[in-house]
Amino acid sequence: MKKLITLLFTVIFAVNIIHAQTNWITHKADNRVSLKFPTEPVEGIKGTFIATSKDTSITYVFTVVDFAATAGVDSTAIAPYKTTPEFASQLKAGILKSLPTVELEDFKIGTWKGFTNYTSTGVDNKSKKYFLFMFIIGNKLYSVSSILAPNADIKKKDEFVSTVEISN
């Protein structure tokens, strides 16, 4: 019975997410990664795209960092370090330089669709909640973040991440 209820809940949840994103705008980051935004994204700084939910309670941020272009480091050099706590700590330190008012938890390192990924949550001094999801493919780091206003529906925190598609 528990399995049936869990399965039913999962199906309903998946249908709601899929239904909620049917009008979202597809953004192709490169030849490997695309995702959807609820409104037309605007490129803030090169490689960073930002959009808000229609009710403006959630900000969606997508960033691509090419380590080869920005630091002269290719995927071969990254490979032995990308799963280490030291590498994740450096990512966190880099992010906190641009988000000095955010208290960010240490990154959890995992695997997503066969790629190394990092997740973290945080909160800023205005009680906005930050949900960060990053993954590495080759020499590129892809960051998918949702920033929720204090009044935002916490159930929507994963909608953005669920739109990410990887092509071969």
Side-chain angles (χ1 to χ4, degrees):
M1 186 65 167
K2 281 185 178 181
K3 287 182 181 181
L4 181 60
I5 291 171
T6 302
L7 177 63
L8 183 60
F9 176 75
T10 303
V11 169
I12 291 170
F13 181 72
V15 168
N16 283 336
I17 286 178
I18 291 166
H19 177 70
Q21 297 163 354
T22 56
N23 295 325
W24 285 32
I25 300 162
T26 300
H27 174 77
K28 188 172 172 103
D30 55 25
N31 62 340
R32 298 284 314 262
V33 177
S34 65
L35 73 166
K36 294 180 180 181
F37 285 93
T39 58
E40 189 67 40
V42 174
E43 188 171 20
I45 33 180
K46 186 169 173 46
T48 298
F49 296 85
I50 301 170
T52 59
S53 58
K54 293 184 192 264
D55 69 0
T56 68
S57 66
I58 304 173
T59 301
Y60 301 96
V61 182
F62 175 66
T63 301
V64 179
V65 177
D66 185 338
F67 289 122
T70 59
V73 179
D74 66 9
S75 60
T76 306
I78 295 169
Y81 300 105
K82 66 184 178 183
T83 58
T84 66
E86 293 80 17
F87 187 83
S89 181
Q90 288 178 353
L91 287 176
K92 178 182 173 182
I95 289 170
L96 289 176
K97 285 181 183 176
S98 62
L99 300 172
T101 64
V102 177
E103 288 188 32
L104 199 58
E105 292 181 9
D106 289 341
F107 282 106
K108 293 179 181 90
I109 303 168
T111 303
W112 175 77
K113 296 187 179 188
F115 303 105
T116 302
N117 80 296
Y118 313 90
T119 57
S120 183
T121 60
V123 65
D124 70 11
N125 58 359
K126 295 182 179 170
S127 298
K128 289 184 182 176
K129 297 173 191 78
Y130 289 70
F131 298 92
L132 285 70
F133 176 79
M134 299 185 295
F135 56 97
I136 292 180
I137 299 178
N139 57 305
K140 291 184 180 178
L141 174 76
Y142 300 87
S143 175
V144 183
S145 304
S146 298
I147 305 166
L148 281 65
N151 65 333
D153 182 358
I154 194 77
K155 294 176 191 168
K156 295 185 177 191
K157 71 178 181 63
D158 295 324
E159 281 184 328
F160 190 40
V161 170
S162 71
T163 71
V164 176
E165 294 184 16
I166 309 293
S167 60
N168 295 329

